[in-house]
Amino acid sequence: MALLERTDALDEIREKVEAGERLDLEDGLTLMESDDVLALGELADRARRLRGGGEEVFFVQNLYLNQTNVCRVKCKFCAFAVTQKQADAYTYSGEQLVEDAVHQHELTAFTEIHMVGGETPHVSFDYYVDIVRQLHEALPDVHLKLFTASEIHHMTKLSGLTHEEVLRTLRDAGLGSLPGGGAEIFADRVRRLIAPGKEHPDYWFHTHDAAHRLGIPTHCTMLYGHVENYEERIDHLLRLREQQDRTGGFLAFIPLAFHPENTVFERRGWRHTTGVDDLKLIAVSRLMLDNIPNIKAYWIMMGMPMAQVALHFGANDVQGTVVREQIFHAAGARTATEQKIPELVRFVREAGRVPVQRDTLYNQLRRW
Ligand code: V47
């Protein structure tokens, strides 16, 4: 009987998907509670195709940089941040970042720099403006996807400027888009538990809203697999969907599975998410986020084999070559830190899909 009820509930959701109807909180909970993971995957892939998705799976050639690991916030999920006094603290100057990036560019000709970092109180807003300007001048054709909404909010504190003024100044210096970090989980209960020192989620939305209105596209994320429940996950997705209805500037959604190593949660016995949870979340995100075109299976987080499977659960993007990643690896990620293009192409092809190298804005650069 229980199985029948569940199957019926999924059938009702399938009818809504086929009719192009929006799913609501109840539907989201039904999907999260379903154990029929293959049916979820099939439904999510169907939704992706009904909304215009084809065989393409996208990736970008990119370089990850972190300007500083010094952070004042002390989020409990983070293994990357340190204080200024710790021996491994670093804050790179614009010259150092440029030297590194230019050297890497000679090796790999990436088209995007993805850079996020801690909220260091030991710099001024000019530091941020200068590093954007210097990177842009050194590599004018490279798209600069820099700074989470939390960092933008931090810059308003450093400068006394509004979010709009900070964003406009950074855009004029060469900023191209914002990454999606800092979102964590929007629900107050969870935020108080995992990131009590972090700004209210309204600021995250205000920053992305302002960016979209200034013509700066952004990405969005959800950090899952810690203390949040299913309702808080779906609430998070619905809030992102509402924002996208208002401003339409999210390029992609990236679910981020919590990595507990070297965090306080590891000491409390927290474990890494399971493959089924990761796949379910990809599928449910695709189904709920009917207005965000791209869902990323982030291979750094889930590993290449699972990312390959996720391409049949609604994902259509595997992020990129990456080259260097520190935030997830500080928290115990065992994945590589770089994938060469031929390897990404092989993984996508063997999943039965067409690999497409894109730029940050999803213009197609090369198809295989
Ligand atoms: O906000 C930190 C997450 C984010 C852990 O836009 C963790 O394409 C799991 O912005 N386990 C920062 N996650 C990184 C970020 C990002 C990452 C990937 C893709 C994109 C994109 C943006 O990293 C933080 C937090 O949500 N994070 N620590 C951890 N232990």
Side-chain angles (χ1 to χ4, degrees):
M1 185 61 194
L3 178 66
L4 265 183
E5 272 168 20
R6 253 198 336 255
T7 310
D8 286 353
L10 279 192
D11 282 348
E12 278 170 31
I13 294 176
R14 174 178 297 277
E15 278 168 28
K16 279 182 144 180
V17 169
E18 294 286 346
E21 266 178 54
R22 218 160 220 199
L23 304 184
D24 59 20
L25 176 70
E26 279 306 311
D27 297 324
L29 290 175
T30 304
L31 292 168
M32 282 303 331
E33 282 161 12
S34 170
D35 293 326
D36 196 347
V37 69
L38 291 182
L40 290 182
E42 195 270 327
L43 192 55
D45 196 56
R46 175 83 183 132
R48 183 183 68 75
R49 288 174 190 278
L50 281 170
R51 294 174 200 151
E55 298 307 315
E56 295 80 7
V57 169
F58 298 98
F59 64 85
V60 66
Q61 192 163 12
N62 56 359
L63 171 73
Y64 274 35
L65 294 176
N66 303 104
Q67 75 278 13
T68 181
N69 61 352
V70 176
C71 191
R72 52 158 204 96
V73 191
K74 310 209 174 356
C75 297
K76 293 189 179 152
F77 56 78
C78 183
F80 167 76
V82 299
T83 61
Q84 175 89 331
K85 288 194 181 127
Q86 282 176 258
D88 50 348
Y90 63 81
T91 300
Y92 295 126
S93 65
E95 289 74 22
Q96 287 172 307
L97 291 167
V98 164
E99 191 186 335
D100 187 6
V102 166
H103 174 64
Q104 284 297 330
H105 196 252
E106 282 160 9
L107 300 176
T108 63
F110 53 80
T111 63
E112 169 188 288
I113 291 178
H114 166 124
M115 182 167 78
V116 299
E119 295 182 30
T120 173
H122 305 284
V123 297
S124 67
F125 177 49
D126 287 346
Y127 164 76
Y128 291 99
V129 182
D130 286 345
I131 59 180
V132 177
R133 188 172 296 118
Q134 287 181 44
L135 282 169
H136 183 58
E137 278 171 10
L139 296 165
D141 296 331
V142 170
H143 181 103
L144 301 180
K145 174 187 174 192
L146 317 178
F147 312 134
T148 66
S150 302
E151 291 175 274
I152 300 293
H153 184 63
H154 175 58
M155 291 177 214
T156 66
K157 300 282 166 208
L158 292 174
S159 63
L161 298 174
T162 64
H163 295 78
E164 288 79 1
E165 287 165 340
V166 163
L167 286 165
R168 198 174 289 122
T169 309
L170 294 175
R171 182 194 62 188
D172 293 348
L175 177 83
S177 65
L178 298 185
E184 324 317 356
I185 291 269
F186 298 129
D188 287 340
R189 182 192 77 86
V190 179
R191 236 172 153 86
R192 272 198 300 274
L193 290 171
I194 66 166
K198 200 154 212 159
E199 70 285 348
H200 192 272
D202 286 355
Y203 289 110
W204 191 94
F205 280 104
H206 180 66
T207 300
H208 285 264
D209 193 282
H212 297 175
R213 291 179 200 280
L214 287 168
I216 303 170
T218 72
H219 302 77
C220 53
T221 61
M222 171 164 83
L223 173 66
Y224 68 97
H226 39 87
V227 301
E228 85 290 358
N229 58 36
Y230 284 167
E231 189 161 346
E232 288 156 342
R233 286 184 185 184
I234 302 296
D235 167 68
H236 188 98
L237 296 177
L238 293 178
R239 291 200 214 187
L240 291 175
R241 191 171 78 181
E242 281 164 26
Q243 180 62 51
Q244 184 74 337
D245 277 347
R246 280 194 292 275
T247 49
F250 291 131
L251 293 169
F253 173 70
I254 311 103
L256 301 174
F258 176 50
H259 284 52
E261 251 179 62
N262 305 318
T263 73
V264 292
F265 290 105
E266 183 188 29
R267 294 193 280 283
R268 294 180 198 161
W270 250 256
R271 307 283 295 276
H272 201 290
T273 55
T274 63
V276 165
D277 203 17
D278 293 343
L279 289 176
K280 235 189 208 187
L281 201 70
I282 293 274
V284 175
S285 309
R286 170 60 78 186
L287 285 160
M288 300 306 294
L289 297 175
D290 54 20
N291 54 2
I292 298 187
N294 303 296
I295 306 284
K296 289 189 193 178
Y298 189 39
W299 62 261
I300 289 271
M301 172 202 90
M302 58 195 329
M304 283 304 282
M306 195 57 94
Q308 202 180 25
V309 178
L311 299 179
H312 295 278
F313 280 69
N316 68 326
D317 191 303
V318 286
Q319 177 80 337
T321 47
V322 175
V323 179
R324 208 185 285 148
E325 199 286 330
Q326 293 195 10
I327 295 177
F328 285 75
H329 285 81
R334 303 271 179 270
T335 48
T337 55
E338 175 171 10
Q339 293 293 336
K340 302 283 186 207
I341 289 182
E343 193 59 1
L344 285 174
V345 167
R346 186 173 78 91
F347 266 84
V348 172
R349 272 198 172 146
E350 291 202 1
R353 306 280 295 282
V354 178
V356 176
Q357 185 180 345
R358 61 168 174 87
D359 65 12
T360 310
L361 305 177
Y362 285 84
N363 297 304
Q364 300 194 12
L365 301 181
R366 184 172 171 195
R367 285 172 81 90
W368 278 264

